[in-house]
């Protein structure tokens, strides 16, 4: 129940968007993921929660909910696929295009 509102916000974004990127400021990997999606022409919803110096408690709730320890958290069709490196592999092997036509 910790920070249920934040988890509900991410769940709602996943329900209404094929691709959701959850990130934070001052972190290069959420930016890298967004740049890859932009270059690929894949629409997405971006949610940002603080940076290394702020809002770490809310981000902890997301880590507890997903079991994923780092940012970004990338969801495709409501399923957590991992981070920026995982996204890069999906784009490279054409799997993302099959998942999100």
């Amino acid at each position: 129940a910790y920070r249920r509102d934040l988890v509900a916000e991410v769940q709602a974004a996943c329900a209404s968007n094929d691709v959701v990127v959850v990130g934070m400021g001052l972190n290069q990997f959420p930016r890298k993921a967004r740049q890859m999606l932009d270059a690929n022409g894949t629409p997405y919803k971006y949610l940002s929660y603080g940076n290394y110096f702020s809002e770490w408690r809310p981000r902890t709730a997301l880590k507890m909910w997903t079991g994923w320890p780092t940012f970004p958290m990338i969801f495709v069709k409501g399923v957590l696929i991992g981070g920026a490196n995982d996204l890069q592999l999906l784009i490279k092997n054409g799997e993302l295009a099959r998942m999100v036509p």
Side-chain angles (χ1 to χ4, degrees), residues 1 5 15 34 48 64-65 75 77 87 99:
D5 58 328
R34 293 184 356 246
S48 180
M64 291 167 42
W65 171 59
F75 297 86
K77 300 281 187 170
L87 175 65
M99 296 170 76

Side-chain angles (χ1 to χ4, degrees), residues 34-84:
R34 293 184 356 246
Q35 289 171 342
M36 286 187 284
L37 290 167
D38 288 339
N40 196 50
T42 304
Y44 61 93
K45 171 77 172 175
Y46 180 62
L47 301 171
S48 180
Y49 298 103
N51 58 47
Y52 288 109
F53 306 108
S54 70
E55 296 186 45
W56 64 270
R57 283 185 180 96
R59 287 194 310 275
T60 298
L62 293 173
K63 291 177 181 183
M64 291 167 42
W65 171 59
T66 63
W68 189 256
T70 60
F71 290 92
M73 295 175 180
I74 302 170
F75 297 86
V76 176
K77 300 281 187 170
V79 176
L80 177 66
I81 58 103

Side-chain angles (χ1 to χ4, degrees), residues 1-12:
Y2 177 69
R3 296 300 307 234
R4 183 173 287 174
D5 58 328
L6 186 66
V7 172
E9 182 177 11
V10 174
Q11 288 173 324

